[in-house]
Structure formats: structure tokens, C-alpha cells
Amino acid sequence: MPFPEPGRRENAAPGPDRLLADLTPEQAQAVTHSSGPLLLLAGPGAGKTKTLTHRAAYLLATGRAQPCEILAVTFSVRAAGELRLRLADLLGETVARAVTAATFHSVCARLLREHASVFGRTERYTIYDQGDMRR
């Protein structure tokens, strides 16, 4: 499924076969996982971000998902930023912006704000971190 890539490339996002070309067998297995949630656990430098970005691109290229249906979650702000940059390089800015790529904390905070009324709050409440609690 081709996606426009303003500013970055003239061509569509890579096809499914091209997305698998430079992956290890384990990465390719994760990228082509057939259905249901997928959890990637690996040490530093093992290629988790590459696998996640290629998984998102594979889902889009094969028509299994739309960008707004993809949630890619990482633990650190740095990893989430890198994930967003790599998605933009692979998919183009427009498509990458429609994919939700964030940290666990930011996804949970977003959900809490969107559904604040369920627990008797407005979306303007504050979440305290450890420093706030000490002060």
C-alpha cells in the first residue's frame, strides 16, 4: 500500500519483501508476526527499534493496519523519539505522525486525561512525580 512521503522521498513506503531484506531471522519473525499483540524484549543494541519500525511499516505495506491503528510503546523518552524519527525516515512524515509511538507513561497519561471523568476528575488534573511529592 503506497503512502505519500512529502519532503523525504518521491517513492512509496518500502514493500513487504524489501522491509525484511536486512533483518535477522528473529527480527523478521517479529516483523511478520501474524496476529495479536507482540512484545519485544531484548538487550541494548539488539535492534528493537529497527524491528518495531519495520513491523509498523510491514503492517501498513500489507494492508493489515492503518497508521492510526498502530501503537508502538517504549520505556524511555529517548527511545520513543528515536522510534518516531525512524518511522518518519521509513514511512514519510505524514504517515509517521498518524502512528502513535510513545512511552508507557505518556500513553497512560493520555488515556487518563481522555477518560478523567470516569474517576471524577477533569482533564486538567496534575500527575505528581517523585520530586513533586517530596516538595
Side-chain angles (χ1 to χ4, degrees):
M1 169 185 289
F3 296 101
E5 300 184 55
R8 294 245 176 181
R9 286 188 304 268
E10 297 295 321
N11 301 328
D17 292 337
R18 188 165 154 236
L19 289 167
L20 302 174
D22 61 341
L23 301 177
T24 67
E26 294 81 9
Q27 289 171 325
Q29 182 181 10
V31 167
T32 60
H33 175 74
S34 62
S35 65
L38 176 64
L39 175 65
L40 297 177
L41 295 173
K48 293 178 298 294
T49 303
K50 181 177 186 176
T51 304
L52 279 173
T53 55
H54 281 69
R55 170 73 175 162
Y58 185 84
L59 290 171
L60 297 170
T62 58
R64 293 182 185 173
Q66 294 297 309
C68 64
E69 298 172 323
I70 296 175
L71 171 62
V73 182
T74 66
F75 284 103
S76 72
V77 172
R78 181 178 163 268
E82 180 67 21
L83 184 58
R84 284 189 290 273
L85 285 174
R86 291 193 195 184
L87 282 169
D89 285 344
L90 194 57
L91 303 171
E93 295 283 340
T94 304
V95 176
R97 280 193 196 122
V99 172
T100 301
T103 64
F104 280 101
H105 288 98
S106 66
V107 169
C108 291
R110 187 179 310 169
L111 288 171
L112 288 171
R113 290 205 189 287
E114 287 177 14
H115 303 286
S117 63
V118 172
F119 55 95
R121 300 281 188 258
T122 69
E123 69 279 352
R124 296 180 59 192
Y125 70 89
T126 300
I127 299 173
Y128 285 172
D129 63 14
Q130 292 295 328
D132 294 327
M133 292 189 324
R134 274 190 231 107
R135 283 192 292 278

